[in-house]
Amino acid sequence: MIKTTNLKKLYRTEEVETTALGGIDLEVKQGQFVAIMGPSGCGKSTLLNVLGLLDSPTSGEYSFLDEEVAHYSERERARVRKQNIGFVFQSFNLIDELSVYENVELPLLYLKMASSERKERVEAALERMNIEPRRNHYPQQLSGGQQQRVAVARAVVGRPRLILADEPTGNLDSVHGEEVMKILRELNESGTAVVMVTHSPEYAAYAGRIINLFDGHVLTENVGQVYNA
């Protein structure tokens, strides 16, 4: 599904050049659950943004679903992204002016899906995330855990092949954090690939693989001890 070769990302100003990714070789197969760990500033979120086609690498190769996408234009990246990738962010990134239902429906509008199919998919996603009773509420009326459930529903409503999660439990207490991790694991068990950035060894253990980054390089990789709880 994902394969990168010597993937680099540099940020330049007039005075300084910063290496965010220093040559990443990575492969993620369909259906895998991968956790990316490392200290702040090591390149975790940068790597996730490149994998999610939100940003382009400075150099190197990136193949997504057997399509070389490293140097696609923003329009080409958007085409691939909206058809295949769902995102879950630490800050939820819900739109305050839209209801729960409308927030979840939004990706389907971008796909220009028929209203009847949109309704069916949104209702199924809300039911799956156990948030359907809140469908007419607005984000500020929800708890943090409920907001993240809405964010996950929005990420999966388009039935993507890949979920990218950037610190999805970062703004949650331990109870709601465990709930979100169990949801991600269930999605993975149903066949969706998940790549997650986290600082938590406990949550990383839900993944089948744990990749540790340091200064923009893969330092180590090991097998996760998947929780049975």
Side-chain angles (χ1 to χ4, degrees), residues 12 14 18 30 66 74 86 89 95 103 130 151 191 200 202 216 222 227:
R12 297 185 178 94
E14 292 182 0
T18 302
Q30 179 67 48
D66 297 321
E74 169 53 31
F89 300 98
I95 299 175
N103 266 282
N130 197 27
S200 168
E202 180 181 0
N222 55 286
Y227 275 40

Side-chain angles (χ1 to χ4, degrees), residues 4-184:
T4 72
T5 304
N6 198 27
L7 199 70
K8 296 183 179 181
K9 181 64 180 180
L10 308 178
Y11 293 102
R12 297 185 178 94
T13 66
E14 292 182 0
E15 299 180 351
V16 67
E17 179 178 278
T18 302
T19 300
L21 300 176
I24 301 291
D25 295 328
L26 174 66
E27 188 167 357
V28 178
K29 297 185 183 299
Q30 179 67 48
Q32 288 190 326
F33 191 157
V34 178
I36 300 173
M37 300 190 70
S40 297
C42 72
K44 301 186 302 296
S45 292
T46 299
L47 177 58
L48 211 67
N49 286 341
V50 172
L51 295 181
L53 302 174
L54 297 173
D55 200 359
S56 293
T58 304
S59 63
E61 299 177 0
Y62 175 24
S63 175
F64 180 71
L65 295 174
D66 297 321
E67 189 172 347
E68 178 53 49
V69 297
H71 301 295
Y72 271 10
S73 67
E74 169 53 31
R75 180 168 184 161
E76 291 171 318
R77 295 200 311 271
R79 171 187 60 80
V80 177
R81 187 172 62 232
K82 70 183 181 181
Q83 294 174 349
N84 298 288
I85 304 174
F87 296 89
V88 181
F89 300 98
Q90 176 178 347
S91 56
F92 315 137
N93 283 10
L94 301 176
I95 299 175
D96 288 339
E97 293 77 20
L98 299 182
S99 68
V100 165
Y101 185 99
E102 291 166 335
N103 266 282
V104 176
E105 182 184 35
L106 195 57
L108 304 183
L109 293 173
Y110 293 141
L111 291 173
K112 299 180 180 180
M113 190 174 291
S115 59
S116 58
E117 187 173 359
R118 290 202 310 271
K119 182 175 184 295
E120 178 182 336
R121 287 206 187 189
V122 173
E123 290 180 348
L126 293 176
E127 189 70 31
R128 186 176 190 181
M129 295 301 119
N130 197 27
I131 201 71
E132 201 280 334
R134 301 285 186 173
R135 60 185 291 157
N136 295 320
H137 287 66
Y138 290 85
Q140 60 268 29
Q141 297 174 302
L142 306 177
S143 69
Q146 290 169 334
Q147 289 188 60
Q148 195 59 295
R149 283 179 176 271
V150 176
V152 175
R154 181 185 58 190
V156 304
V157 72
R159 299 174 185 169
R161 300 190 188 191
L162 172 66
I163 295 288
L164 297 178
D166 193 355
E167 294 284 359
T169 62
N171 284 331
L172 303 177
D173 59 34
S174 60
V175 173
H176 288 117
E178 291 285 347
E179 288 180 358
V180 168
M181 290 309 306
K182 288 177 181 177
I183 289 170
L184 290 176

